[in-house]
Amino acid sequence: MVHAVNSFLEIHRGQSGGLLLFTQHVNGPLGVYEIANEAVRSLSMLPGKDIRIYSGERPKALTDSISSAGWEVEKAQTQRDFINPRGDTFQVLVATSAFGMGIDKPTIRKVIHYLAPQSPEAYYQEVGRAGRDGEPAEALLLFSDEAAQLTDSLLSPETDIDEARRQHKAVKWGVPVGDFFTTFFFHANRFTGVEEETANAVRALEAIKHKVDAGLSIVLPYTSSRKDMSWNSEAHLEYALVRLIHLGVVLDYTKNFNARTLEVTLEPGWLSVRSDFDAYRERHVASMDTYVRRYETRRAGALLQPIEAAKTFNAVEEAALRAIVQYLYSQIERRRRTSTREMLEIAREGVGDPAKARQLLLFYLQASEKFTHALEQVAREETASMGWAKLAQSATSPVEVDELRGAATRVLESYPTHPALLFLSAITRRTPSAAELDRSKEEFQAAMKTLAETDADAAADAAEMALELCRGFDTTLVRQLSALYGAWSLSFFGPRFALERVGEDVGARLGIFKDMVANAQRGLPTLFT
């Protein structure tokens, strides 16, 4: 980092060109204050004159030297000075992503990421602040990946959020883990688990009902300490109210920052059925079903059953809130980890092949006229549908295969566990690197696992179709996926039927034999009976 800043200053010192150095942390060794101090110490820069910092909240290191109100004034002045076109102010700004939204400095010549962003969209947006005057500009991503296997496990589509949070928490502080394991901290703090979020929402609803029954205005106080993890902490209470808006309980709320309260307005329809149990239950079922249909054409199905089976008002409320939290986790939480996983793949490719990383980023971000809309339709179909195979068959050139891969990856972000999208993303990586092979195997296995939960034969049929399509895309990839399929077939069908299913496919048969040998060595002779 120090070398990159120094080389920038050697070229641009005294000019209007600026350098933006992004980090995701406000405090600690990866925070804006410490990073700026490292540059000050190493390059004899003058704080305030040569380099400044910007973050949404005041760094803890400045608590004794500037008030919260003073920090707001200083931030505004920092923005004005940085975009000053005269070139007579500081040139290097260390900032969180809070800087730059709506700020336009055309002559930013370099953007450095001290930590990799958590999504391709965030990275593209932040590097896009450089070179807006049309002149050459440079982007540098500093990337560390020490605990690669642990990071892959955290972001795998097969790992649920509770297990991912457990794995993250189990690693001791200070152990080198790499960028994406480090920044998973933010994700883990945001998504605390279905049970905890359900409990918080139930507590919020209880507080609302208490005030309604007492004839009081619905004004809920909140605590603003970031360390407070109680149900009425600022973030948890707002999340709970949003859940209640989705369920048609709350109409809106107003936040009073000075009083630290949330004033809640309720849905008249919810109030009108509070004394009629059947109508109350039906309203919650209908609200949940309506919410799911905003995103999918299918009925909410299994998510509605606990609500429909509830026998008391409280049971209806808890079942409905758990259902909506579960759905949000299956969509939003998974979606964000999928996006982060794609950014990780781009960063890994960039270490050895920056041009390929750039291509992956652009394919991910660009909509495909041929594939994007069709893939979105596939995502709304039943998971066992084979319509996705026709799309793969229509990719008749290497350029179209790459285009399909980018479009599948992008749509997969919105439907992160959809088997068809997982299969398509897995089989369309041409000339894959070792990291890309691992990602394809991960997606292929996740697709089979999801389908096999309801029908193992359908999973096998889909996997065999995917392998047949993959043979036309990349021979190295199909060998790896065939071996994976063979091992999976063994676990579901046994050795005899597994061999029949995979036919003459050498890679798949080899996968079966390897697993048979491994099981034999573990002392499991019953597998061969």
Side-chain angles (χ1 to χ4, degrees):
M1 182 275 292
V2 171
H3 173 74
V5 172
N6 187 51
S7 64
F8 167 82
L9 291 173
E10 287 178 351
I11 299 171
H12 298 286
R13 189 184 298 275
Q15 301 174 15
S16 62
L19 184 154
L20 264 177
L21 200 162
F22 281 112
T23 181
Q24 296 182 45
H25 293 262
V26 177
N27 301 300
L30 301 176
V32 290
Y33 183 82
E34 286 300 324
I35 293 172
N37 265 359
E38 182 183 351
V40 166
R41 290 190 299 266
S42 301
L43 301 175
S44 300
M45 301 177 75
L46 296 176
K49 180 176 175 58
D50 299 324
I51 185 170
R52 294 190 197 176
I53 62 176
Y54 186 101
S55 56
E57 65 181 63
R58 175 187 55 182
K60 292 178 180 178
L62 299 179
T63 301
D64 295 334
S65 59
I66 188 171
S67 65
S68 295
W71 176 247
E72 294 302 316
V73 173
E74 183 166 318
K75 284 197 303 181
Q77 186 62 50
T78 293
Q79 284 189 340
R80 287 193 294 269
D81 290 346
F82 190 65
I83 64 175
N84 185 343
R86 295 195 308 270
D88 57 357
T89 61
F90 74 101
Q91 291 181 269
V92 180
L93 180 64
V94 183
T96 63
S97 57
F99 179 83
M101 299 302 291
I103 302 300
D104 187 15
K105 180 180 176 68
T107 57
I108 292 175
R109 300 270 69 86
K110 192 166 193 172
V111 173
I112 299 175
H113 280 88
Y114 197 82
L115 278 174
Q118 291 177 282
S119 71
E121 291 90 345
Y123 180 67
Y124 189 76
Q125 181 189 73
E126 289 166 4
V127 299
R129 294 170 192 171
R132 291 183 177 179
D133 58 358
E135 296 299 316
E138 184 179 5
L140 176 63
L141 173 62
L142 304 179
F143 171 57
S144 63
D145 195 26
E146 289 91 339
Q149 288 185 325
L150 278 173
T151 303
D152 287 341
S153 181
L154 290 184
L155 302 178
S156 169
E158 294 190 81
T159 306
D160 64 33
I161 183 59
D162 291 328
E163 173 60 18
R165 294 179 80 248
R166 187 198 66 75
Q167 291 178 11
H168 186 263
K169 188 176 181 180
V171 176
K172 294 181 179 179
W173 180 259
V175 175
V177 288
D179 288 6
F180 287 88
F181 194 98
T182 298
T183 55
F184 187 79
F185 165 84
F186 298 108
H187 190 89
N189 280 1
R190 165 60 189 86
F191 295 98
T192 55
V194 171
E195 293 305 315
E196 183 173 328
E197 287 210 38
T198 300
N200 290 338
V202 168
R203 291 288 301 276
L205 182 53
E206 288 174 351
I208 289 171
K209 292 192 299 181
H210 175 75
K211 289 186 178 292
V212 171
D213 294 339
L216 301 173
S217 297
I218 307 171
V219 179
L220 305 177
Y222 64 81
T223 61
S224 56
S225 171
R226 288 182 174 270
K227 294 183 179 180
D228 187 355
M229 302 301 289
S230 60
W231 72 273
N232 63 334
S233 65
E234 183 177 4
H236 286 176
L237 183 54
E238 286 204 72
Y239 288 142
L241 292 179
V242 171
R243 310 295 184 247
L244 292 169
I245 288 173
H246 293 328
L247 277 180
V249 175
V250 170
L251 178 63
D252 199 2
Y253 68 90
T254 303
K255 191 171 188 178
N256 187 323
F257 289 90
N258 293 326
R260 295 180 181 176
T261 59
L262 299 169
E263 184 175 352
V264 178
T265 303
L266 296 176
E267 283 276 8
W270 178 77
L271 288 168
S272 69
V273 298
R274 283 196 67 211
S275 60
D276 184 336
F277 176 74
D278 289 337
Y280 194 73
R281 180 171 58 188
E282 183 55 36
R283 178 179 174 84
H284 283 77
V285 169
S287 294
M288 181 65 201
D289 191 47
T290 299
Y291 180 73
V292 171
R293 286 179 183 272
R294 295 179 192 174
Y295 305 97
E296 301 183 45
T297 57
R298 299 185 299 275
R299 193 169 184 267
L303 288 171
L304 301 179
Q305 292 173 5
I307 312 173
E308 294 168 333
K311 303 299 183 184
T312 67
F313 284 93
N314 287 343
V316 166
E317 294 162 358
E318 183 172 349
L321 286 168
R322 176 172 283 104
I324 202 160
V325 172
Q326 286 175 332
Y327 185 75
L328 287 166
Y329 268 63
S330 72
Q331 295 298 309
I332 297 174
E333 188 280 319
R334 288 280 189 178
R335 182 183 305 172
R336 292 189 183 177
R337 270 197 289 159
T338 299
S339 181
T340 300
R341 186 69 179 83
E342 185 64 22
M343 186 63 218
L344 172 61
E345 184 174 347
I346 290 170
R348 283 175 174 168
E349 287 302 318
V351 173
D353 191 345
K356 185 172 183 179
R358 183 177 184 276
Q359 182 186 49
L360 288 175
L361 177 64
L362 294 177
F363 272 129
Y364 176 83
L365 293 170
Q366 292 172 352
S368 164
E369 290 185 10
K370 180 172 182 176
F371 296 116
T372 299
H373 179 67
L375 285 168
E376 288 171 346
Q377 289 182 315
V378 165
R380 295 186 179 96
E381 296 174 354
E382 294 297 329
T383 54
S385 169
M386 298 293 280
W388 58 273
K390 294 180 180 178
L391 280 177
Q393 290 168 341
S394 72
T396 57
S397 70
V399 171
E400 287 189 336
V401 174
D402 291 342
E403 184 181 342
L404 174 59
R405 183 248 187 272
T409 303
R410 187 61 185 269
V411 178
L412 186 62
E413 183 185 335
S414 298
Y415 303 90
T417 59
H418 198 287
L421 298 175
L422 287 166
F423 275 132
L424 284 171
S425 181
I427 65 175
T428 50
R429 289 183 173 88
R430 297 185 309 108
T431 61
S433 65
E436 288 180 307
L437 279 174
D438 288 341
R439 180 75 187 278
S440 284
K441 290 190 287 186
E442 177 185 281
E443 290 172 339
F444 199 87
Q445 187 155 315
M448 291 190 295
K449 179 182 177 182
T450 299
L451 285 173
E453 289 174 355
T454 55
D455 189 339
D457 285 321
D461 290 340
E464 290 165 16
M465 173 60 75
L467 291 173
E468 182 61 30
L469 293 164
C470 188
R471 286 187 181 89
F473 299 152
D474 190 273
T475 55
T476 300
L477 179 58
V478 76
R479 284 197 298 269
Q480 294 281 337
L481 298 182
S482 293
L484 185 69
Y485 172 59
W488 177 87
S489 297
L490 178 65
S491 66
F492 271 89
F493 302 112
R496 179 184 302 171
F497 291 104
L499 290 170
E500 290 178 359
R501 283 232 59 130
V502 302
E504 299 302 317
D505 189 294
V506 176
R509 295 176 75 85
L510 182 60
I512 293 172
F513 284 122
K514 283 184 176 179
D515 262 33
M516 289 171 66
V517 172
N519 285 325
Q521 291 174 338
R522 287 196 296 267
L524 299 175
T526 55
L527 183 66
F528 302 97
T529 59

